[in-house]
Coordinates of all heavy atoms in Angstrom, one line a residue:
L238 N 59.2 25.5 -145.6 CA 58.6 26.9 -145.9 C 59.4 27.7 -146.9 O 59.0 28.6 -147.6 CB 58.5 27.7 -144.5 CG 57.3 27.3 -143.6 CD1 57.3 28.0 -142.3 CD2 56.0 27.4 -144.3
N239 N 60.7 27.2 -147.0 CA 61.6 27.8 -148.0 C 61.6 26.9 -149.2 O 62.0 25.8 -149.2 CB 63.0 27.9 -147.4 CG 64.0 28.6 -148.4 OD1 63.7 28.8 -149.6 ND2 65.2 28.8 -147.9
P240 N 61.1 27.5 -150.4 CA 60.9 26.6 -151.6 C 62.1 26.4 -152.3 O 62.1 25.6 -153.3 CB 59.9 27.4 -152.4 CG 60.0 28.8 -152.0 CD 60.4 28.8 -150.5
D241 N 63.2 27.1 -151.9 CA 64.6 26.9 -152.6 C 65.0 25.4 -152.8 O 65.1 24.7 -151.8 CB 65.6 27.6 -151.8 CG 67.0 27.6 -152.5 OD1 67.1 26.8 -153.5 OD2 67.9 28.4 -152.1
L242 N 65.1 25.0 -154.0 CA 65.3 23.5 -154.3 C 66.6 23.1 -153.7 O 66.9 21.9 -153.6 CB 65.3 23.3 -155.8 CG 63.8 23.2 -156.4 CD1 63.9 23.2 -157.9 CD2 63.0 22.0 -155.8
N243 N 67.6 24.0 -153.5 CA 68.8 23.6 -152.9 C 68.7 23.3 -151.4 O 69.5 22.8 -150.8 CB 69.8 24.7 -153.0 CG 70.2 25.0 -154.5 OD1 70.5 24.2 -155.2 ND2 70.1 26.3 -154.8
K244 N 67.5 23.8 -150.8 CA 67.3 23.6 -149.4 C 66.1 22.8 -149.0 O 65.9 22.4 -147.9 CB 67.2 25.0 -148.7 CG 68.4 25.7 -148.9 CD 68.5 26.9 -147.9 CE 69.7 27.6 -148.1 NZ 69.6 29.0 -148.8
N245 N 65.2 22.5 -150.0 CA 63.9 21.8 -149.8 C 63.9 20.5 -150.4 O 63.6 20.3 -151.6 CB 62.8 22.7 -150.4 CG 61.5 22.4 -149.9 OD1 61.1 21.1 -149.9 ND2 60.7 23.3 -149.6
D246 N 64.1 19.5 -149.5 CA 64.2 18.1 -150.1 C 62.8 17.6 -150.5 O 62.7 16.7 -151.4 CB 64.7 17.1 -149.0 CG 66.2 17.2 -148.9 OD1 66.9 17.8 -149.7 OD2 66.9 16.6 -148.0
V247 N 61.8 18.1 -149.9 CA 60.5 17.6 -150.2 C 60.2 18.0 -151.7 O 59.7 17.2 -152.6 CB 59.4 18.3 -149.4 CG1 57.9 17.9 -149.8 CG2 59.6 17.9 -147.8
Y248 N 60.4 19.3 -152.1 CA 60.2 19.8 -153.4 C 61.1 19.2 -154.4 O 60.7 18.9 -155.6 CB 60.2 21.3 -153.4 CG 59.1 22.0 -152.7 CD1 59.0 23.3 -152.4 CD2 58.0 21.2 -152.2 CE1 58.0 23.9 -151.7 CE2 56.9 21.9 -151.5 CZ 56.9 23.2 -151.2 OH 55.9 23.8 -150.6
L249 N 62.4 19.0 -153.9 CA 63.3 18.4 -154.8 C 62.9 17.0 -155.2 O 63.0 16.6 -156.4 CB 64.7 18.4 -154.2 CG 65.9 17.9 -155.1 CD1 66.0 18.7 -156.3 CD2 67.2 17.9 -154.3
Y250 N 62.5 16.2 -154.2 CA 61.9 14.9 -154.5 C 60.7 15.0 -155.5 O 60.7 14.2 -156.5 CB 61.5 14.2 -153.2 CG 60.7 13.0 -153.4 CD1 61.3 11.8 -154.0 CD2 59.4 12.9 -153.0 CE1 60.5 10.6 -154.1 CE2 58.6 11.7 -153.1 CZ 59.2 10.7 -153.7 OH 58.5 9.4 -153.9
A251 N 59.8 15.9 -155.3 CA 58.7 16.0 -156.2 C 59.2 16.4 -157.6 O 58.7 15.8 -158.7 CB 57.8 17.1 -155.6
V252 N 60.1 17.3 -157.7 CA 60.7 17.8 -159.0 C 61.3 16.6 -159.7 O 61.1 16.4 -160.9 CB 61.6 19.0 -158.9 CG1 62.5 19.2 -160.1 CG2 60.9 20.2 -158.5

Side-chain angles (χ1 to χ4, degrees):
L238 286 175
N239 180 354
D241 183 346
L242 288 170
N243 294 312
K244 302 200 172 106
N245 190 318
D246 278 354
V247 177
Y248 292 168
L249 183 60
Y250 168 63
V252 164

